[in-house]
Structure formats: structure tokens, C-alpha cells
Amino acid sequence: MRIHRLCLLGLFTLMAACGGETTPSPPPQTFLVGGRLSGLDGTLTLQLNGREQLTLAADGPFTFETRLEDRTDYSVIVTASPPEQECTVEDGAGRVTGEDAGPVLVQCAARTYSIGGTVEGLAGTLTLGLGDETLQVTGNGRFAFKRRLPRGGAYAVSVVSLPTGQRCSVSREQGTVAGNVEDLFVRCVHWYALDRFQAARTVVGQVDFTSNEPNRDGPAGPATLAVPWGNPALAGGRLYVSDQGNRRVLGFDGVPTTSGAEAMIVLGQPDFVTTNTGAGQAGLSGPEGLSSDGSRLAVTDPDNSRVLLHAPLPASVPTLVVGQAGFEGASRIDCDSQTLQGPEDVFVGHGKLVVADSGHNRVLVWNTLPTTNGAPADLVLGQGSFTTCTANDANGDRVRDAAPSAATLWTPTGVWTDGTRLAVVDFANHRVLLWNTFPTTNGQPADVVLGQPGFTSRQPSTSASGMNAPYFVTSTGLQLFVADNQNHRVLGWNQLPQTNGTPADLVLGQADSNSARQVDPDTSAPSARSLSRPSGLLLAWPHVVVPDAGNNRLLVFESH
């Protein structure tokens, strides 16, 4: 009997060891993820953990169908919003902790767009306004307001306060939002505050303001001038001046602030005392207008019928010639797209090269900077084609017309552009022509004329609205200045004129707008206020540099 019981006990033990009946483990708990939607106007799609998509069409609570185990991470994102709404998720990511996860809050609101643009030329702190928001801008480049506006919203950006010594204007400053507004353009320029008949602060080329002999009545040197002629240029920290009578270009260490300053370098001559007529790559013969875009210097050499380009700076000899096939050999003066005759001014900048081809009665434009000697121009103004060069010849019959027109020129001597507008001095027609947008077709007529009441008159006069043989021009893009050569003065406009014959706001060199004296009326001699045949202009903040050819000097005025 005892043996029988032991056998039964062993049998039960064996059965348990071989997998008899056991209690199953309970399934893991799972939980839902949900939340609340508000502000919806349309259809919204949410996504859970990159898998389940939930489309909603009304505000209120929502719950995903997918169940998640405890301690599982979850993430809810928006994958599609109504076209003109922006929907944001708050508390959309976390971990399940033993209960349904949430609430995930989804808020929809009208889609808004940024308002911004670009600032150029800023030298200080500028404050812009958009509604009740003000934005301080301290550097050039991109800017954007914090305030955002919905599609269809109206915006208007204004200048609230200006940087010291500058004026700023906003282009495309107002409109209706149709997307991100990124094309506002703010241009800041220096504002030259000058007085009528203001005295210069510095004189170069003479020992004092009352002397006027060429080369100080002696040999040429680093501190002397003989008939300085043409717009100076500031490039690489150096002031370059055409010393026409000495057949050279002088380079000074910046704009001189002390009278009688000496030049550091000379172009066109082997030294400061030589004044020989030159040609070839290293020579000059009566240089005139200069221009620089900061990396290169352009020099007009009218007696050699060419423009020389020095690059990179500083460069003692030019690296490229325009208007001739090369540096050597006799100058050609053919009337074509590649040849110049007596060019008196040049402007290089904004990717363009603009030349006053004076002897051919035209202005030539290269829309990209030439890279080879004698490169042909892309555009001609003052003539209907590259093969006509007669003055005031509107119909191209090679016969001078009885009167000028908006499309003709007679010895242009000065050019300026900001890449958008263009100004040309039309010397023998006693006027300045303005194009409000840069010309794109040959012979394109100007939009505005200064110095004359209309495009068909060419009478010299001495008044606030008249001119007598103007020669050179420059501008900040806002203010405009003209060297009115035979009226012995510089005229200034505080805004680029939009009306024919607009009178000037400022005169330098004369006590009033109706005088044309070559000396100071109080002393009958040269002074810091007088001009005699002013023959160029340079704006180099805060200085206005004027070559005073008749007094063989350079005057430096200062904005106040």
C-alpha cells in the first residue's frame, strides 16, 4: 500500500513537470491619444507616430484609433492644414503613463506672412514702421518685421527716424499681402547739407585760397596742379585726380584735410616732375573724367581716344583699354561700336560701363564690364545707331538738325548712373538729360531735361534753371550736382528733378543764381568761395570735391 501511494505521488509530479494546466498572463494594457481642436476653418489632417492619419473638419475633441502600450512614446503632428490657416500643436509629444495620453491641443488661425526686404547704403541706425510696430535697423542687408499679416491684408512701411547725416527712402513700401513680402527696398544715402556760396575747407594744388598759378608758378611736383579736369574718384582709400595740364593722374591718401597736401602716387608719368605727352600702356595725354567701382579705376584719355581700366587696385599701369583695339599704335576714331573719339567722362559701377563719347556726340553703354581690349558697346544714346555720329541728328541723315531733341546729343561730357537712373551732361546744348529708368534701346529719348525749358531749346543762360556749358555731373541717387562750367558754379538739386527746367536748390561758387563771376565779388580775387571753370565733382562723405580748373586747384567743401 505504501508503495502504491508513492507511485501516485510520482505520477502527479511528472505530469506537472510535463506541462499540465497553468494560469495565462493577462494581455498588456493599451491607451488612446486624444485632444482638442479649435479655430479650424476647413479640413485638417493630424498624424500619430508617423502612421495613423486623422482627418478633422470641425472644432472639438478628437481621438486616434491606434492604442499604445504603457511607457510608449507618442508624437502628434500636422500634415495638412487649410490653405490659408496655420495650425500648431501644443503638448503633442510625450510618453504614455498608465492612462490615456493628452490632451493634445491643436490651435488653428489665419495664415500670416512676413513683411521685409533689403537695406542698402545704411551708415547708422534707421527706424522703420509697420502699423504700431517699429523696427531698428543697424546694418545693410535683409530685415523683417515681427508683425505678420494675413493674405489680403494691407501694409504700409514708413521711415520713422533717419540715421545721422543720411536720408532714406522706401521703394514698394505699400501693398496688399499675397504671400511673404520680401521685396521692400530701402536705399540710404548721405545728405549733403551745404550753403549758398559756402567756403571750402581745404585747397589742394595751391598753398592758399588766393593763389591760382599753374604748378604754383614753378615746375610740376606732388603738390601742384595745372588745369585739373574731370570727376575725381575715390578708390581703395585713395583720391585720384586728373591733372590734365600735366598729363597725369595724381593719387592722394584719401581726401586731403590739410591744404597743400602732396600726392602719394602718379599715373601716366614716370615721376612727379615729368609732364610729357604720353600714349601706349603707361602714358596719358590730357586725362579727364575718372570713375571707380571700388575694385577698378577707369580713366578717360581723350587725346588718345580711349578709356583705360586699372584693375586690381592699386595698379600703376592699366590692364584693359576701351575704344581702341590695343594700347599701342595710332588712335582710330571710326564711328562704330568699338571706337571712341575724345571721350571726356566715364562711369563704372552696377555692373556697367558708361562712356561720354564726346567727339562722336553720343554715350556708349556696356551692360557688362568689358574683359577684352576694344570690346564693342551694347547700347548707344544720342544716336539711332552705332554708325551715325553727327550732333543733334534725330533722323540719322548725318546733317545737324536746327534744334536738339530728347534723343540727341552735342558733345556729351558727363555721365552718372545708379543702375536705375541715368544722367548725361549735354555740353553744347547747355543742358543735362535724365532717364528715369536705364535705357534699353538705341537712341532712347530722355525723360527730363535740366538747364532748358524743353527738349528743343539750347540757349545758354545764368539763372537757377539755366546753364552755360555744363560739364560734369554726379548724384547720391537723391541729390544731383552739376558743374556749370561757364557760369563758374556748381548747381545742386535736393531731389532728382521730374519736371523740365526745374530750378536748382543750391549754388556754390556764386553769391546768387544770376551771377557768373570768376572771382570773389568782395575781393576781386580767388577765394575759398569762388570758382573759375569748375570741371568735375566727387561726393565722398562728408566732402564735396571740386576741381577748379581756372584756378589750378582742387577745393574740398564739407557738409555740415
Side-chain angles (χ1 to χ4, degrees):
M1 179 63 75
R2 185 176 181 184
I3 293 174
H4 178 68
R5 289 193 186 108
L6 288 174
C7 287
L8 289 175
L9 181 60
L11 178 62
F12 289 136
T13 301
L14 180 62
M15 289 175 63
C18 292
E21 288 188 16
T22 59
T23 303
S25 299
Q29 282 187 293
T30 59
F31 303 92
L32 297 172
V33 177
R36 176 170 290 276
L37 169 64
S38 61
L40 182 65
D41 182 13
T43 300
L44 168 75
T45 301
L46 300 177
Q47 185 183 72
L48 173 62
N49 286 354
R51 296 186 182 90
E52 182 185 345
Q53 303 274 354
L54 176 62
T55 299
L56 304 172
D59 290 347
F62 64 86
T63 303
F64 287 94
E65 293 182 355
T66 301
R67 303 185 68 89
L68 303 179
E69 294 183 6
D70 194 21
R71 312 299 294 174
T72 299
D73 291 336
Y74 66 90
S75 174
V76 176
I77 62 171
V78 174
T79 58
S81 298
E84 289 305 318
Q85 282 200 303
E86 293 175 335
C87 299
T88 58
V89 178
E90 184 178 345
D91 297 328
R95 175 172 290 184
V96 176
T97 56
E99 59 182 349
D100 289 342
V104 176
L105 302 179
V106 181
Q107 174 68 46
C108 294
R111 186 179 298 278
T112 58
Y113 299 92
S114 63
I115 309 296
T118 305
V119 176
E120 179 182 281
L122 181 63
T125 299
L126 167 70
T127 304
L128 299 174
L130 173 65
D132 57 2
E133 180 187 349
T134 57
L135 174 67
Q136 282 197 337
V137 183
T138 58
N140 293 306
R142 301 290 304 171
F143 72 89
F145 289 91
K146 290 182 179 179
R147 183 182 180 189
R148 298 170 64 89
L149 296 176
R151 182 181 296 272
Y155 65 90
V157 175
S158 62
V159 175
V160 177
S161 64
L162 293 164
T164 302
Q166 286 198 298
R167 297 290 186 273
C168 301
S169 59
V170 186
S171 300
R172 301 179 286 275
E173 71 277 14
Q174 59 185 4
T176 301
V177 174
N180 288 331
V181 177
E182 300 177 334
D183 63 347
L184 300 178
F185 181 66
V186 183
R187 183 194 300 271
C188 296
V189 297
H190 290 295
W191 178 262
Y192 289 85
L194 302 165
D195 298 325
R196 178 185 297 269
F197 208 27
Q198 180 172 323
R201 294 289 298 271
T202 308
V203 62
V204 179
Q206 302 291 346
V207 295
D208 54 45
F209 288 106
T210 60
S211 303
N212 67 351
E213 292 297 323
N215 291 329
R216 299 185 183 179
D217 203 22
T224 72
L225 294 169
V227 195
W229 199 278
N231 282 353
L234 190 64
R238 286 195 174 125
L239 173 69
Y240 292 91
V241 177
S242 280
D243 187 12
Q244 188 187 58
N246 288 322
R247 304 169 186 87
R248 64 185 184 177
V249 171
L250 295 179
F252 296 84
D253 184 13
V255 177
T257 56
T258 303
S259 294
E262 292 190 353
M264 298 174 57
I265 63 170
V266 60
L267 304 178
Q269 300 292 342
D271 52 52
F272 287 108
V273 298
T274 304
T275 61
N276 295 332
T277 298
Q281 188 171 9
L284 291 170
S285 181
E288 294 194 19
L290 308 177
S291 181
S292 176
D293 61 359
S295 62
R296 56 181 60 81
L297 176 69
V299 180
T300 55
D301 189 14
D303 289 353
N304 288 317
S305 292
R306 63 185 185 176
V307 172
L308 302 173
L309 292 176
H310 296 251
L313 294 174
S316 57
V317 294
T319 52
L320 195 74
V321 60
V322 175
Q324 300 296 322
F327 292 106
E328 308 300 330
S331 299
R332 296 171 53 240
I333 56 171
D334 302 334
C335 182
D336 58 32
S337 63
Q338 297 174 276
T339 312
L340 299 171
Q341 181 179 5
E344 297 198 60
D345 197 24
V346 60
F347 188 96
V348 58
H350 311 289
K352 299 180 184 292
L353 180 72
V354 184
V355 177
D357 189 9
S358 310
H360 281 150
N361 303 294
R362 64 186 185 177
V363 168
L364 294 183
V365 177
W366 286 258
N367 288 324
T368 57
L369 295 177
T371 57
T372 58
N373 291 339
D378 300 303
L379 182 75
V380 60
L381 300 173
Q383 304 291 336
S385 72
F386 288 109
T387 56
T388 55
C389 291
T390 303
N392 290 346
D393 181 15
N395 59 8
D397 63 358
R398 294 176 172 80
V399 176
R400 184 183 302 157
D401 300 335
S405 75
T408 64
L409 295 168
W410 190 350
T411 316
T413 55
V415 289
W416 169 88
T417 184
D418 61 358
T420 300
R421 284 84 50 98
L422 174 68
V424 175
V425 178
D426 192 8
F427 169 80
N429 284 324
H430 309 288
R431 65 184 188 174
V432 172
L433 298 180
L434 302 177
W435 284 258
N436 292 329
T437 57
F438 200 92
T440 57
T441 58
N442 290 341
Q444 185 171 325
D447 300 303
V448 179
V449 60
L450 301 178
Q452 301 294 330
F455 288 109
T456 58
S457 60
R458 54 174 303 272
Q459 294 301 314
S461 65
T462 305
S463 66
S465 58
M467 297 180 189
N468 187 0
Y471 230 100
F472 293 95
V473 62
T474 193
S475 176
T476 63
L478 179 60
Q479 293 173 290
L480 180 77
F481 297 89
V482 174
D484 189 10
N485 188 269
Q486 292 301 301
N487 278 328
H488 312 293
R489 64 186 184 179
V490 169
L491 297 177
W493 287 259
N494 286 333
Q495 289 187 333
L496 281 172
Q498 297 297 308
T499 305
N500 292 344
T502 300
D505 301 303
L506 168 76
V507 60
L508 296 176
Q510 301 296 329
D512 57 62
S513 297
N514 301 312
S515 299
R517 299 182 179 91
Q518 291 181 262
V519 293
D520 193 308
D522 295 340
T523 63
S524 298
S527 75
R529 304 184 299 177
S530 68
L531 291 169
S532 175
R533 292 188 294 135
S535 52
L537 292 159
L538 172 68
L539 303 177
W541 179 257
H543 306 108
V544 179
V545 183
V546 180
D548 187 16
N551 288 317
N552 301 290
R553 66 184 184 177
L554 201 70
L555 291 183
V556 180
F557 298 86
E558 188 170 311
S559 175
H560 58 77

